[in-house]
């Protein structure tokens, strides 16, 4: 019997329709979590879920779960996110959510009724770009962060998370933590260069690397740029520049999977003729190896103390996110790998450099991920691109992986 396949053009139509909400120059999207743009995207996806006769639940931190209530027992779940960074692409997160809907529509049209319910999750604030930490919604979903603490988190632009949920009408009443699914599999673009460089179409993802996010505040003394001799300055920008360089050099020195990023720097008062009073900056440090990640954090912490003493400034550090590396369930990885090869794709096992909601679901149920190639390894960039053929191939693997996870083969 010809293997059941998803409808690639219907999937692309949904991806392109969602991409019409808050488009930015270069072909991407800006849908920061819990903004009106995020609400518009949420409303569209909920409409599509309702069109498929799915039962919709919105939980207390705005996670949306659509469930096709067939069969019995706990659902096999897929899903991802539709919030984006400010320079987001069309596919990061959106692809995994819409491929989940496509799987359900394909099954409904084929008359196949899985023995378990199928669910698609749209997790709140996966990016963590507006409200840290990242994967916030799925973290609360699995009980890794209390609802009260989550609702009180402040956005980088000020508002409280709970107030934004109310404002956009997505403060639901389904309690968290939610019931664990039977299994979870997330389809996502790789967002990196590996698959393309290796000429491999699909990634069977083995886990997610460790993530350390910190906010460093450096308080100096604002002063006149023209009259203040260098020896009398307490300049936080000098410290910020040295810390950024130190992180970069540390990553080069460690090599391997070590990456360090200073993505956000706010200078106050940020004026040409004022020695700054204060700098707030973010440190994003990651490694697949937890002991190396801790060693990097230790080195960075002592460098900050040393440089702060030298420049006579005061520093404080706030942890925004800290997740250890996560290993996915080998059985689910093997099922992904099997369907990828069975459908004629080249496939390789690989870790994820980016954080994903799957790393949170892995705390409560057997979980893995499927990757498709990212052109030039680009992501968090409006030029993010994955070919329709690859997007379709990934969704077909998701379809059959979910079917296997509902079967007795996967008790
Ligand atoms: O930061 C990450 O890895 C993800 O994009 N939230
Ligand atoms: Mn993502
Ligand atoms: Mn992302």
């Amino acid at each position: 019997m010809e293997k059941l396949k998803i409808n690639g053009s219907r999937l692309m139509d949904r991806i392109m329709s969602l991409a019409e909400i808050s488009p930015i120059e270069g072909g991407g999207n800006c849908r920061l979590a819990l903004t009106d743009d995020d609400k518009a995207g949420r409303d569209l996806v909920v409409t599509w879920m309702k069109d498929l006769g799915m039962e919709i639940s919105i939980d207390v931190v705005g996670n949306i779960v659509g469930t096709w209530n067939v069969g019995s027992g706990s659902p096999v779940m897929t899903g991802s996110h539709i919030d984006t960074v400010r320079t987001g692409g069309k596919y990061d997160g959106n692809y995994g959510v819409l491929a989940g809907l496509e799987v359900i529509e394909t099954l409904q049209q084929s008359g196949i009724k899985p023995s378990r319910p199928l669910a698609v999750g749209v997790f709140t604030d996966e990016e963590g770009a507006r409200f840290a930490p990242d994967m916030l919604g799925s973290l609360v979903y699995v009980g890794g962060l209390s609802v009260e603490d989550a609702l009180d988190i402040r956005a980088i632009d000020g508002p409280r998370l709970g107030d934004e949920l109310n404002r956009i009408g997505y403060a639901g009443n389904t309690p968290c933590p939610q019931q664990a699914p039977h299994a979870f599999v997330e389809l996502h673009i790789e967002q990196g260069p590996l698959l393309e460089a290796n000429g491999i179409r699909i990634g069977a993802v083995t886990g997610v690397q460790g993530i350390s996010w910190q906010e460093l505040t450096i308080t100096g003394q604002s002063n006149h740029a023209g009259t203040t001799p260098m020896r009398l300055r307490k300049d936080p920008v000098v410290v910020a520049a040295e810390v950024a360089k130190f992180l970069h050099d540390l990553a080069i020195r460690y090599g391997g999977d070590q990456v360090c990023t200073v993505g956000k720097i706010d200078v106050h008062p940020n004026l040409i003729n004022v020695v700054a009073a204060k700098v707030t900056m973010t440190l994003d440090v990651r490694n697949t190896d937890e002991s190396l990640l801790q060693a990097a954090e230790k080195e960075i912490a002592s460098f900050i103390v040393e440089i702060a003493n030298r420049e006579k400034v005061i520093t404080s550090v706030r942890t925004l996110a800290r997740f250890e590396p996560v290993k996915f369930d080998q059985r689910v990885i093997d099922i992904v790998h099997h369907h990828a090869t069975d459908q004629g794709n080249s496939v390789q096992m690989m870790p994820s450099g980016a954080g994903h909601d799957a790393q949170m679901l892995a705390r409560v149920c057997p979980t893995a991920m499927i990757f498709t190639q990212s052109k030039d390894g680009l992501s968090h960039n409006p030029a993010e691109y994955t070919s329709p053929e690859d997007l379709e191939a990934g969704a077909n693997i998701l379809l059959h992986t979910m079917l296997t996870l509902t079967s007795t083969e996967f008790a």
Side-chain angles (χ1 to χ4, degrees), residues 140-323:
V140 175
Y141 186 96
V142 300
L145 175 67
S146 78
V147 174
E148 297 67 36
D149 288 349
L151 295 178
D152 279 340
I153 288 173
R154 289 276 166 188
I156 55 172
D157 51 317
R160 182 178 160 275
L161 188 141
D163 298 340
E164 286 293 87
L165 274 175
N166 284 316
R167 189 181 64 78
I168 67 168
Y170 275 91
N173 44 34
T174 304
C176 279
Q178 293 213 33
Q179 184 212 6
H182 179 61
F184 183 83
V185 54
E186 180 173 0
L187 175 60
H188 205 287
I189 55 170
E190 177 201 340
Q191 302 183 281
L194 225 57
L195 289 174
E196 186 181 60
N198 296 346
I200 301 281
R201 183 175 226 179
I202 297 293
V205 187
T206 55
V208 179
Q209 70 176 340
I211 300 175
S212 163
W213 279 9
Q214 293 179 319
E215 179 188 74
L216 170 61
T217 302
I218 312 162
T219 308
Q221 183 183 56
S222 74
N223 221 323
H224 196 294
T227 59
T228 312
M230 298 311 283
R231 60 185 168 74
L232 296 182
R233 293 182 179 209
K234 296 177 181 177
D235 187 345
V237 170
V238 171
V239 174
E242 299 234 16
V243 168
K245 182 77 172 60
F246 184 82
L247 260 72
H248 175 269
D249 295 349
L250 178 145
I252 305 297
R253 194 161 33 91
Y254 276 39
D257 294 325
Q258 184 66 50
V259 286
C260 293
T261 312
V262 172
K264 184 171 184 291
I265 298 183
D266 296 304
V267 179
H268 175 73
N270 209 23
L271 297 171
I272 184 167
N273 58 352
V274 180
V275 176
K278 189 165 91 166
V279 169
T280 306
M281 63 194 285
T282 57
L283 316 180
D284 179 324
V285 180
R286 309 192 196 196
N287 200 308
T288 48
D289 179 313
E290 174 63 15
S291 57
L292 287 175
L293 186 54
Q294 288 183 21
E297 288 174 320
K298 276 203 186 80
E299 277 206 54
I300 292 165
S302 33
F303 180 77
I304 289 170
V305 169
E306 180 202 323
I307 199 82
N309 291 338
R310 193 193 77 192
E311 295 302 326
K312 301 185 281 306
V313 298
I314 298 162
T315 58
S316 65
V317 176
R318 184 163 71 98
T319 299
L320 297 177
R322 183 59 170 91
F323 302 124

Side-chain angles (χ1 to χ4, degrees), residues 74-137:
S74 51
V76 166
M77 189 174 189
T78 186
S80 194
H81 61 96
I82 64 166
D83 66 299
T84 75
V85 293
R86 205 170 273 140
T87 54
K90 293 187 180 74
Y91 309 100
D92 175 1
N94 307 317
Y95 170 42
V97 170
L98 301 181
L101 298 188
E102 177 52 34
V103 162
I104 287 178
E105 184 154 9
T106 299
L107 289 168
Q108 288 181 349
Q109 288 193 342
S110 70
I112 294 174
K113 283 210 185 319
S115 56
R116 284 183 175 274
L118 295 186
V120 179
V122 183
F123 294 104
T124 295
D125 187 43
E126 185 280 343
E127 293 294 357
R130 188 178 181 218
F131 300 91
D134 51 350
M135 288 75 69
L136 183 147

